[in-house]
């Protein structure tokens, strides 16, 4: 109401000022006259670089406007978003879609208004992914590397401030990056802005979820928050954007319809008297503790990023999804040590579901512009959805939209099948070669028996029985079970493995000494099969190697350290079939179990064993 | 709005000055066209140089609407920091964090109540600084690195703004600038302060003492076209895009009549003059002092609690030994209820009443102590200044 009154009284004044016979009109006429004269006189002298820069800006503004969407959440307000794939996946803020619910209307700069369905939610990071429907292709933005952004860089915020875009033309504001790697405290445990970009380009209520672009028009962030304090909820030149690198890390999980969680180290840290960061408390159940991190150790770096302040640690942790394994360097008594740490989830699954549904608010959101905490509970009956998106939604605990989890799992399965091609892998597999010390090994895998001959002895496993028998070979954490899973994956596909779900993306590399930033991400499948849990890393790198199995982490029991198998492949076609690895490295509990150079790998043509479990038999447990 | 006298309301004058608008357009539009991915060629170098001179300051505060942080910038290689005078400095421990993350305890050299500036000193040498004598940031860096050795003493690198260099001439409207500050306290630890960009819109007197903005300073300020005066910004550095220091970001000022927040900076020449005055230990210029400076109760030998509320109850925080207050039997935690013949209900009222009493006159006061009213007479003020009491620390009362 108040807005309306201001508009109706202000507009005539503006019109009068802007009128040709109004005072501003006169000024404008004067300025234009002078400007034209000057321009005419000096047209020939204009530096081509200036014209090129001008042309580039025109092109960039047009391009970034096209990829920006206005999101309407009915009487619950709305916000902005940005399309990042040609088939219409778009980023926005959690706090924008939460009041909107499962479906929303989205306006594009070209005047189209289309339906969109909620895909993935990240309440902690204040991110959501929605999918636009009703068009074959959409204009989209490319993600840039936000770690390359420097203070002083020009940037654009684009979006729908104050829901002004009634004609669907987004507002474009120009500014500079005021700060990088900023940390903004959460409201309770959600809406935490870590490692974010701070800009002086205008971010107002309604800009939430909209894009932040660099000068080239590439996406460096998603705007969602601003400092206001005592001046009311209007821009004071201090806005914050979730970095594109954080978005990239979570994109896989979000596309997969997951309700994603953020990571915790299982330890708290504090700044010591010398200004360094020390472990002030650590859970004995945490992976960090099991890998050797202790009270009073100095944290040197995490995921390849130096940690000099508590904020720096929070900044790195905040851009990493729960479950990722990352290198951590700590110092004790002057000696630095590097370990790989598996990050735990911040929330219990049920807790996160409650937060996402709005049944439980984690404290009122203090900073974010947009539309406050939800007024009423989110009703989710599928019947209420518009017809255009009704088939794109499937509820399931732990997911914001399980339909998209199926899509991603099927995509990975198809890629794996394509890589195997017409090879019949249902027979007995024989692998042999040498260990790092030159001594030989031999592995035989069939439906009836799995055997491994090592210099230290022979181990056997019945693949038909539960796989969580005593993990063999001894000290491997369950290597033989992992190899059984490997064979079944390739010969019968991921559908054959009990309950298998898409689990987002993660870096597959298991060795320390690497930086997470910029590391290629693999698709991740999580499978509960015959009493064990397996996480399967599948390459999504490029056409030639997509679908290639990069590794398997297998937990014989939830409390034990998993057996971590990583496959390496020969370059080019030297090795023959694309699915055959050249080497296999096995780690357990941070220690190398063995490095296997595979010299021979043969899958015998299948015998027609009637006992062989068919894909449909195993699949019966699915969806339970 | 239109009947407001433009000469006392700078914002109003700007709004009606059309030639100014044209001027602004003439300066800004070509600038926008030439801007490439950076705002200006080498802007990242300028920002880097500027940021190295800016200091994050942490002191008293932390209450709602009263931040415990602000900004300052180095003006000499040996650790002189100019900042805004505020309650943040009302602390025994003033922490300064440099751009490289180093943390220093600062001592308060002096305050300039008229310009609302203060001078701090860090125990350090060879620091990059923003010259106050018209030199560029680059010169400040070079002098910090090489000056002292060449001159053989700290005087060589000291900047005293006695000269009238480039930086002291008022900047032209349209000058593109960066503002660097510790706004909202978002830059923690070794994180770099925030950088904003915009344009100097006009140079106008901050004729605010009896106008819409309550500030003792009435000299020229730069009006800026972007929101710079945020919580924590006061004392920040304004620098043009070529790397020339331009001024100090002012304290937050809000029009009491229109509710509008002002975005402004105090020109460098004023900072230089304030620095000279504070460094030499000369008393502040007295022309504007009398009715601006709150009466310093230390001259009577006692301190009130920090005046942080609209009506802070005037409790006695401390009594100086061998002072008129001590001789009269004043004690800690006494609540002043009357000064002279007037009743008082706030620290501000006490200062106001004390300022009315002539030098050399005894001061009658009434206090409440243990539920009873006690009268006391604070004898004639001593002719010489008493040694300073330690400043009360807000942190202790939290």
């Amino acid at each position: 109401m108040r807005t309306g009154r201001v508009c109706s009284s202000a507009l005539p004044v503006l019109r009068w000022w802007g009128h040709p016979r109004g005072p501003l009109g006169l000024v404008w006429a004067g300025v234009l006259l002078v400007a034209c004269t000057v321009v005419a006189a000096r047209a020939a002298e204009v530096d081509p670089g200036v014209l090129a820069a001008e042309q580039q800006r025109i092109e960039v503004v047009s391009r970034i406007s096209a990829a920006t969407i206005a999101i309407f959440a009915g009487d619950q307000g709305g916000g902005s978003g940005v399309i990042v794939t040609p088939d219409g996946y778009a980023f926005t803020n959690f706090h924008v879609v939460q009041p909107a619910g499962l479906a929303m209307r989205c306006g594009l700069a070209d005047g189209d208004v289309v339906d969109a369905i909620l895909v993935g939610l990240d309440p902690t990071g204040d991110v959501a992914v929605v999918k636009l429907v009703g068009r074959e292709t959409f204009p989209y933005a490319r993600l840039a590397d936000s770690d390359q952004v420097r203070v002083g860089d020009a940037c654009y915020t684009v979006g729908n401030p104050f829901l002004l875009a009634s004609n669907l033309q987004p507002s474009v504001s120009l500014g500079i990056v005021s700060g990088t790697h900023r940390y903004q405290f959460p409201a309770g445990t959600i809406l935490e802005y870590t490692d974010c970009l701070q800009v002086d380009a205008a971010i107002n209520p309604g800009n939430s979820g909209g894009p932040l672009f660099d000068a080239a028009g590439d996406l460096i962030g998603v705007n969602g928050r601003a400092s206001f304090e005592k001046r009311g909820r209007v821009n004071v030149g201090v806005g914050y954007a979730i970095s594109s690198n954080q978005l990239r890390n979570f994109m896989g999980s979000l596309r997969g319809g997951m309700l994603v969680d953020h990571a915790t180290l299982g330890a708290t840290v504090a700044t010591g008297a010398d200004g360094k960061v020390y472990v002030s408390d650590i859970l004995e159940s945490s992976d960090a503790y099991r890998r050797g991190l202790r009270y009073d150790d100095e944290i040197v770096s995490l995921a390849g990023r130096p940690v000099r302040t508590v904020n720096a640690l929070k900044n790195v942790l905040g851009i990493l999804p729960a479950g990722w394994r990352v290198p951590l360097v700590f110092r004790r008594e002057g000696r630095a040590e590097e370990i790989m740490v598996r990050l735990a989830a911040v929330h219990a699954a049920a807790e996160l579901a409650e937060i996402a549904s709005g049944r439980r608010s984690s404290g009122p959101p203090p900073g974010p512009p947009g539309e406050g905490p939800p007024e009423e509970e989110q009703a989710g009956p599928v019947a209420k959805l518009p017809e255009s998106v009704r088939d794109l939604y499937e509820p399931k605990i732990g997911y914001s939209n399980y339909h998209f989890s199926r899509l991603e799992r099927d995509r990975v399965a198809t890629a794996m099948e394509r890589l195997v091609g017409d090879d019949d892998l249902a027979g007995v597999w024989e692998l042999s070669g040498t260990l790092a010390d030159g001594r030989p090994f031999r592995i035989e895998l069939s439906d009836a028996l799995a055997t491994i001959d090592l210099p230290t002895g022979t181990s056997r496993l019945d693949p038909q029985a539960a796989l969580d028998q005593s993990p063999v070979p001894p000290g491997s954490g369950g290597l033989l079970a992992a190899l059984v899973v490997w064979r079944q994956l390739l010969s019968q596909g991921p559908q054959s493995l009990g309950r298998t779900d898409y689990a987002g993306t993660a870096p597959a590399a298991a060795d320390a000494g690497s930086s997470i930033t910029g590391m290629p991400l693999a698709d991740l499948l999580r499978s509960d099969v015959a009493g064990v849990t397996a996480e399967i890393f599948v390459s999504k790198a490029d056409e030639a190697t997509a679908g290639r199995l990069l590794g398997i982490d297998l937990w014989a029991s939830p409390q034990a350290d998993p057996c971590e198998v990583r496959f390496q492949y020969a370059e080019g076609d030297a090795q023959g079939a694309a699915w055959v690895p050249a080497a296999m490295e096995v780690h357990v509990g941070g220690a190398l179990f063995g490095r296997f150079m595979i010299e021979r790998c043969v899958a015998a043509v299948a015998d027609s064993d009637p006992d062989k479990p068919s894909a449909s038999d195993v699949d019966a447990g699915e969806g339970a | 709005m239109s009947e407001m006298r433009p000469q006392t309301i700078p914002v109003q004058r700007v709004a009606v000055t059309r030639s100014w608008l044209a001027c602004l357009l003439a300066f800004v539009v070509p600038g926008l066209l030439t801007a490439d991915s950076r705002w200006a060629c080498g802007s990242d170098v300028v920002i880097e140089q500027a940021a190295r001179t800016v200091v994050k300051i942490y002191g008293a505060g932390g209450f709602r609407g009263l931040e415990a942080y602000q900004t300052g910038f180095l003006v000499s290689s040996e650790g002189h920091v100019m900042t805004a005078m505020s309650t943040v400095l009302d602390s025994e421990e003033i922490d300064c964090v440099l751009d490289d993350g180093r943390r220093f305890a600062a001592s308060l050299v002096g305050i300039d109540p008229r310009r609302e500036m203060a001078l701090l000193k860090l125990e350090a040498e060879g620091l990059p600084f923003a010259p106050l004598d018209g030199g560029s940031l680059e010169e400040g860096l070079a002098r910090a690195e090489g000056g002292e050795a060449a001159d053989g003493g700290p005087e060589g690198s000291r900047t005293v703004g006695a000269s009238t260099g480039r930086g002291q001439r008022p900047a032209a409207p349209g000058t593109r600038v960066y503002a660097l500050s510790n706004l909202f306290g978002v830059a923690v630890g070794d994180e770099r302060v925030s950088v904003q960009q915009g344009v100097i819109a006009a140079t106008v007197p901050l004729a605010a003492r009896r106008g819409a903005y309550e500030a003792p300073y009435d000299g020229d300020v730069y009006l800026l076209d972007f929101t710079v005066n945020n919580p924590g910004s006061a004392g920040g550095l304004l620098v043009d895009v070529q790397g020339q220091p331009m001024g100090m970001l002012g304290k937050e000022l809000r029009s009491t009549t229109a509710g509008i927040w002002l975005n402004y900076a105090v020109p460098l020449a004023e900072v230089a003059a304030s620095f000279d005055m504070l460094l030499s230990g000369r008393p502040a210029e007295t022309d504007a002092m009398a009715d601006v400076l709150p009466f310093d109760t230390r001259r009577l030998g006692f301190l009130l609690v920090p005046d942080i509320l609209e009506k802070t109850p005037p409790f006695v925080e401390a009594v100086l030994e061998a002072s008129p207050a001590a001789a009269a039997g004043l004690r800690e935690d006494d609540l002043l209820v009357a000064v002279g013949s007037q009743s008082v209900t706030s620290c501000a009222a006490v200062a106001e009443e004390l300022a009315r009493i002539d030098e050399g006159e005894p001061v009658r006061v009434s206090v409440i102590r243990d539920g009873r009213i006690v009268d006391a007479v604070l004898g004639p003020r001593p002719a010489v200044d008493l040694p300073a009491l330690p400043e009360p620390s807000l942190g202790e009362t939290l």
Side-chain angles (χ1 to χ4, degrees), chain A residues 29-40:
Chain A
V31 170
L32 282 176
L33 195 67
V34 173
C36 289
T37 319
V38 171
V39 167

Side-chain angles (χ1 to χ4, degrees), chain A residues 176, chain B residues 39-40 43 46-47 177-180 195-197 237-239 241:
Chain A
I176 63 168
Chain B
W39 267 80
S43 68
V46 168
I47 289 171
V177 287
Y178 296 115
L180 292 91
V195 186
Q196 299 169 294
Q197 53 84 31
L237 177 63
L238 189 77
V239 59
V241 293

Side-chain angles (χ1 to χ4, degrees), chain A residues 262-352:
Chain A
H262 280 240
T264 166
L265 204 52
T268 58
V269 297
T271 310
D274 54 0
K276 291 173 178 167
V277 179
Y278 291 94
V279 175
S280 57
D281 200 3
I282 183 163
L283 290 173
E284 291 190 13
S285 59
S286 68
D287 196 52
Y289 185 87
R290 297 217 303 236
R291 298 288 78 79
L293 189 68
R294 290 295 180 270
Y295 172 78
D296 223 20
D297 285 345
E298 180 201 339
I299 308 275
V300 178
S301 75
L302 181 68
R305 286 232 325 236
V307 171
R308 293 193 195 93
T309 61
V310 174
N311 260 19
L313 182 71
K314 286 182 181 172
N315 275 341
V316 191
L317 267 180
I319 60 169
L320 301 172
W324 279 25
R325 289 177 71 235
V326 293
L328 183 147
V329 178
F330 66 88
R331 192 176 288 130
R332 184 186 301 158
E333 290 161 6
R335 200 167 50 85
E337 200 169 323
E338 177 154 24
I339 53 176
M340 289 296 291
V341 174
R342 192 178 297 270
L343 302 171
V346 172
H347 301 90
E351 186 187 6
L352 199 60

